[in-house]
Amino acid sequence: MNLESFYSFCEDMTNDSQNITINYKNLSNLWEKVEELTKEQKKSEPKHEFDVQQLLVASIILNSVNFCYFYGRPCYRPDGYNSYNFEQAFLKKLKEEDVGYVLPIRQEFHFQACVAYDLIMEYHFVPLKNEKLQFLDEFIRIEELNPNFPFFVFVQNMIEEENDFDQNTPLFVELLKTTFKSFAEDPFMKRTVLTPMTFERLNRDLGNGVTYFNDFEDLPIPVDYHIPNILRHFGCLTYSDYLADIVDNEKNIEANSKLEIEIRAATVVATRFLKKITGVSMNEIDESLFSLKGMVTTTHHMTNTTAY
């Protein structure tokens, strides 16, 4: 499915849905609140702790295993495993085990995947652990792939050209999705689109601070549990009594079921409207909405999935 067909599908699902409606006036008001909250935030200075290749590979490895917010509560994660804690522990391990020189790109993937694998094995309980380990195994065995694959050529050009890099984020997302099975499953492309966003965040804070990906205009927001819940809390998405009962009582919604697809599709349509009225990038919309997470009192939907 190409992006034009994907957006048409989301619009059709949302227009036909009996379970979710979008309040466009509240969406406009929400963005005014976002701007007020974020206008005073200062950007951090880059720390140059990692090189570009390390952070790009780290972003891919992290997004290959950082999924399933369904288990985001302490009762499901008794030893404190969550995506943020795993990211911090992973980056700390990379720093400790840094070999001191730039590895060939496939060796970098192998090295980081082994670090992530060992780290996951240290946790007593990890949601969907076997699936995560299977995804990492793909990167551990990456040297079996042809180094002339378009994905590797793209990455090499990105690293070598730096300020002269010809940005093409949709192409990077497509190459990621078609090269690695761990990114190919989700038609909404949540973890695939989030990968260049993660890289930009990490490189801004821990790398050289250069922007490599900022052409997110044609890509959807990474749709998981939190963005639709944030929109619902602020009255931008309204659930039917039927769907509200399921979500509020924390009943599981099957992955790829009609209800789950309707939630994700409406979120795509709503955030594309925000992009249209604000003119800002989808990356900025995602970061800005996610910054409101701490204000939210509604419950996110529960879906046991590797997609997000």
Side-chain angles (χ1 to χ4, degrees):
M1 183 187 298
N2 62 34
L3 284 171
E4 185 176 346
S5 299
F6 170 72
Y7 291 131
S8 294
F9 168 79
C10 290
E11 289 169 4
D12 290 343
M13 287 292 295
T14 302
N15 291 335
D16 295 341
S17 176
Q18 301 298 308
N19 295 299
I20 305 176
T21 55
I22 299 174
N23 187 315
Y24 291 98
K25 181 179 179 181
N26 285 353
L27 273 172
S28 301
N29 294 338
L30 173 62
W31 194 253
E32 293 177 6
K33 181 186 294 287
V34 168
E35 288 182 318
E36 184 66 27
L37 289 171
T38 59
K39 67 180 180 181
E40 300 298 330
Q41 292 180 1
K42 295 181 180 179
K43 293 185 177 180
S44 58
E45 292 295 324
K47 297 179 180 178
H48 300 276
E49 293 184 8
F50 296 93
D51 61 44
V52 172
Q53 177 174 284
Q54 287 175 308
L55 290 177
L56 182 65
V57 173
S59 301
I60 294 170
I61 296 296
L62 285 167
N63 281 296
S64 75
V65 296
N66 267 353
F67 51 75
C68 200
Y69 283 99
F70 178 90
Y71 295 104
R73 294 153 198 243
C75 58
Y76 290 110
R77 291 180 174 178
D79 54 3
Y81 177 93
N82 62 40
S83 295
Y84 175 77
N85 289 346
F86 182 79
E87 176 182 299
Q88 295 304 301
F90 176 68
L91 292 172
K92 181 181 178 182
K93 278 269 192 183
L94 288 188
K95 196 69 178 173
E96 291 172 352
E97 300 186 21
D98 186 6
V99 296
Y101 55 87
V102 178
L103 294 170
I105 183 66
R106 290 183 302 161
Q107 288 185 30
E108 185 69 48
F109 270 108
H110 175 86
F111 165 67
Q112 291 201 26
C114 288
V115 170
Y117 193 103
D118 291 343
L119 190 58
I120 285 177
M121 293 301 292
E122 291 178 9
Y123 288 96
H124 173 67
F125 178 78
V126 176
L128 300 177
K129 184 174 185 176
N130 289 337
E131 288 84 349
K132 293 175 191 283
L133 296 178
Q134 288 173 11
F135 287 168
L136 286 175
D137 186 61
E138 181 177 25
F139 295 106
I140 290 173
R141 297 183 294 103
I142 199 170
E143 294 201 48
E144 298 173 9
L145 296 181
N146 189 329
N148 294 319
F149 272 11
F151 172 81
F152 295 116
V153 173
F154 182 99
V155 170
Q156 200 61 47
N157 290 339
M158 173 182 164
I159 293 167
E160 291 175 355
E161 294 174 17
E162 195 167 297
N163 291 313
D164 297 322
F165 175 60
D166 184 19
Q167 297 185 11
N168 193 334
T169 310
L171 175 59
F172 174 77
V173 166
E174 182 64 23
L175 290 174
L176 194 59
K177 188 173 66 170
T178 55
T179 305
F180 303 110
K181 287 183 288 186
S182 53
F183 288 96
E185 296 179 338
D186 179 20
F188 284 85
M189 302 177 289
K190 188 266 177 176
R191 292 187 292 108
T192 315
V193 174
L194 188 60
T195 297
M197 293 183 179
T198 301
F199 168 76
E200 285 299 319
R201 172 174 58 81
L202 293 179
N203 196 48
R204 179 184 63 210
D205 296 340
L206 303 174
N208 60 19
V210 173
T211 297
Y212 290 84
F213 297 113
N214 68 1
D215 55 332
F216 290 91
E217 287 77 8
D218 296 328
L219 294 171
I221 199 165
V223 187
D224 56 12
Y225 302 85
H226 291 299
I227 298 300
N229 189 34
I230 291 165
L231 294 178
R232 183 191 180 203
H233 171 86
F234 287 102
C236 303
L237 294 182
T238 302
Y239 292 176
S240 67
D241 291 343
Y242 172 70
L243 179 56
D245 176 70
I246 291 173
V247 174
D248 294 343
N249 288 289
E250 302 183 358
K251 301 174 184 177
N252 185 55
I253 297 176
E254 288 294 323
N256 299 317
S257 65
K258 186 172 184 289
L259 279 179
E260 193 235 7
I261 291 172
E262 284 181 335
I263 292 171
R264 301 183 83 191
T267 304
V268 169
V269 174
T271 51
R272 278 176 62 79
F273 172 78
L274 280 179
K275 177 184 172 299
K276 180 179 178 180
I277 65 172
T278 62
V280 303
S281 73
M282 196 57 77
N283 189 10
E284 184 178 345
I285 289 173
D286 180 64
E287 285 197 359
S288 298
L289 290 179
F290 202 79
S291 71
L292 304 177
K293 185 165 68 78
M295 303 171 64
V296 173
T297 57
T298 48
T299 302
H300 63 65
H301 71 279
M302 301 287 187
T303 297
N304 197 359
T305 178
T306 63
Y308 49 92

